[in-house]
Amino acid sequence: MPIAFYLTPSFSKPILPNLELLSQKPKNMNMKKLSFLLLAILTLRCLKPIAAACHVDDEAGLLAFKSGITADPSNKLSSWKPGTDCCKWRGINCLFNNRVTSLSLGGQPDQPNTFLSGKISPSLAKVKFLDGIYLQNLNLSGPFPDLLFGLPKLQFVYIEHNRLSGRIPDKIGNLTQLFTFSFYYNRFTGPIPSSISKLTRLSQLNLGGNLLTGSIPYGIKNLKSLNLFNLEQNGLSGPIPDFFSSFSELRILRLSRNKFSGKIPASISALAPKLAYLELGHNALTGQIPDFLGNFKALDTLDLSYNGFSGIVPQRFVNLTKIFNLDLSHNYLTDPFPQLKVKGIESLDLSYNSFHLNQIPKWVTSSPIIYSLKLAKCGIKLKLEDWKPAETYFYDFIDLSENEVTGSPIGLLNKTDFLVGFSASGNKLKFNLESLRIVKTLKQLDLSRNLVFGKVPSGVSGLDRLNVSHNHLCGPLPATKFAASAFLGNDCLCGAPLAPCK
């Protein structure tokens, strides 16, 4: 006789056949088969519900974290349910006898509903085996999470792009086991605690994008294993400390958009063998660009923009053969500019210095791939049709404002499919605006103070910024969101936001 066994989905007691019926030996069943059948029945009767492979403390700590979340529009934490295996919850990894070792949750900046709102529960400290916390691009608020001090195995902290605020506590120096410490883009205020110099195992220190003030603690020189040091976009001030000879492994140094003053410290020269990113833009640094920067043969990005640097660009910059991104704009630099020997450059900005380049540099024209070219007020004298760059397809931004550029940009711009911004104000460009192909990616167009004629095409209505003032345009304006200042000073434009057409 066929025998069927069933288990309910909730792992309750098995539903078994009547044993009295089974005790009646069927005609065709031998004793061996019967013994096997009875053993199977007894085994099923002894089955118990399978316990979740999650330590009670880990479950309690994680569920407390979930309880602190006030909004989860994308249901990131929908799998976090009591009594289930927390090692299988979204964002959780386990090792060491099924103990939770990492918490990793992230949102997508271009998808606003992927955030988590709320505060980080201090009960997360119950998850004692955590070695990594990765909470990125969310919307978490509250003070510095003191729970970090209760996690003895913690090594990696990335709590980035959130809204944590208040001060970084002085006892931060107690987290001596950390390898990475990143609170990039939060809202912390006050000074960087000097005790941070005790975190000598750190390979990454990233406090960029906060509201920190004061100076850089000199004790940071003790963090000799750093390969990333980022304090950009804060309110830090004073001189940049002259302590970089300690950092033999440093590859990324980002101090842009602060209030640092003085000169580039000489000890930065010690970083030449490995440094790939040196970003000091948007500060109040002065003096000449030091010659030793020409020794940085591994340099990919150099940003010294919006400072007070003067004098010439060192001739030794010809050694920067791997440079892909160079921004020296908005300083007081003078001729001559060295002829770089790069194989290709992705972005170049020399705008608003005292250069007289006359022509767009040959090493720019020959670049096989370039995304951004900004040479505003660089003394360029050029008929635009005569410029024949090796590649135009990938251009994102072109700025040739405040030069002596003549002719038409149509041949150049109609070959670009990814153009985001084109600025050529204050030149002598002469062409029919209706001939311009406005690609879908174009968001900024500034042709003010030229000799442009024709009508304003309806395609400009999709731009974010537009300025065609002081040209020779005529005719009714298409419906746009722009103010009258974008169209003033033309021959005979009419219609909103200007005077009605007659």
Side-chain angles (χ1 to χ4, degrees), residues 149-320:
F149 299 107
L151 297 172
K153 297 183 180 297
L154 191 64
Q155 296 180 334
F156 308 97
V157 178
Y158 293 88
I159 303 180
E160 302 175 333
H161 287 276
N162 285 285
R163 296 190 298 120
L164 303 183
S165 58
R167 294 195 168 209
I168 299 173
D170 289 337
K171 60 180 178 178
I172 195 67
N174 295 340
L175 297 175
T176 54
Q177 76 279 12
L178 288 185
F179 286 110
T180 63
F181 183 75
S182 180
F183 282 86
Y184 187 56
Y185 269 93
N186 281 277
R187 299 180 179 179
F188 290 115
T189 55
I192 300 172
S194 59
S195 63
I196 206 166
S197 62
K198 297 179 181 179
L199 309 186
T200 55
R201 291 187 177 185
L202 282 185
S203 63
Q204 297 185 15
L205 175 58
N206 191 346
L207 296 175
N210 282 281
L211 303 169
L212 299 171
T213 54
S215 58
I216 299 176
Y218 193 76
I220 285 180
K221 69 176 182 177
N222 297 329
L223 311 186
K224 299 180 180 181
S225 298
L226 284 182
N227 59 56
L228 182 150
F229 183 27
N230 185 359
L231 299 177
E232 69 184 1
Q233 298 192 44
N234 279 285
L236 299 168
S237 57
I240 298 173
D242 197 5
F243 58 17
F244 290 94
S245 56
S246 302
F247 302 142
S248 60
E249 300 299 318
L250 198 63
R251 287 170 170 79
I252 302 173
L253 176 58
R254 289 178 170 146
L255 302 177
S256 295
R257 297 180 185 273
N258 281 284
K259 300 176 182 178
F260 294 123
S261 56
K263 298 182 178 182
I264 296 177
S267 61
I268 282 184
S269 63
L271 307 179
K274 295 183 178 180
L275 196 71
Y277 297 85
L278 177 57
E279 301 174 18
L280 305 177
H282 291 260
N283 282 290
L285 301 174
T286 54
Q288 292 192 332
I289 297 176
D291 281 346
F292 63 68
L293 289 184
N295 299 330
F296 283 59
K297 296 182 179 181
L299 205 59
D300 174 289
T301 297
L302 176 61
D303 180 6
L304 302 178
S305 63
Y306 286 88
N307 279 287
F309 293 115
S310 57
I312 64 170
V313 176
Q315 181 61 32
R316 292 172 70 180
F317 268 40
V318 297
N319 296 326
L320 304 182

Side-chain angles (χ1 to χ4, degrees), residues 17 29 32 42 58 94 119 129 144 172 214 230 261 271 282 300 351 374 384 400 407 415 418 428 438 457 469 500:
M29 182 177 289
K32 186 175 181 181
L42 291 172
D58 293 348
C94 294
K119 297 184 177 181
F129 280 75
F144 185 91
I172 195 67
N230 185 359
S261 56
L271 307 179
H282 291 260
D300 174 289
S351 304
K374 297 181 178 180
L384 208 49
L400 299 175
K415 294 179 182 178
F418 302 102
K428 296 180 180 179
I438 298 179
S469 63

Side-chain angles (χ1 to χ4, degrees), residues 407-463:
S408 169
I410 296 297
L412 172 66
L413 299 187
N414 284 5
K415 294 179 182 178
T416 64
D417 276 3
F418 302 102
L419 193 66
V420 177
F422 179 71
S423 298
S425 63
N427 283 285
K428 296 180 180 179
L429 295 178
K430 188 175 183 179
F431 67 100
N432 188 338
L433 186 58
E434 295 172 277
S435 301
L436 180 64
R437 182 172 70 101
I438 298 179
V439 294
K440 292 181 179 179
T441 55
L442 190 64
K443 297 300 178 185
Q444 304 167 20
L445 181 63
D446 187 352
L447 296 169
S448 60
R449 294 178 289 119
N450 278 281
L451 305 173
V452 184
F453 58 90
K455 295 180 180 180
V456 177
S458 60
V460 301
S461 60
L463 303 179

Side-chain angles (χ1 to χ4, degrees), residues 71-76 107-116 137-138:
D72 179 12
S74 61
N75 295 314
K76 290 184 186 296
Q108 298 294 330
D110 57 344
Q111 299 178 24
N113 288 331
T114 59
F115 65 87
L116 291 176
N137 295 299
L138 300 169

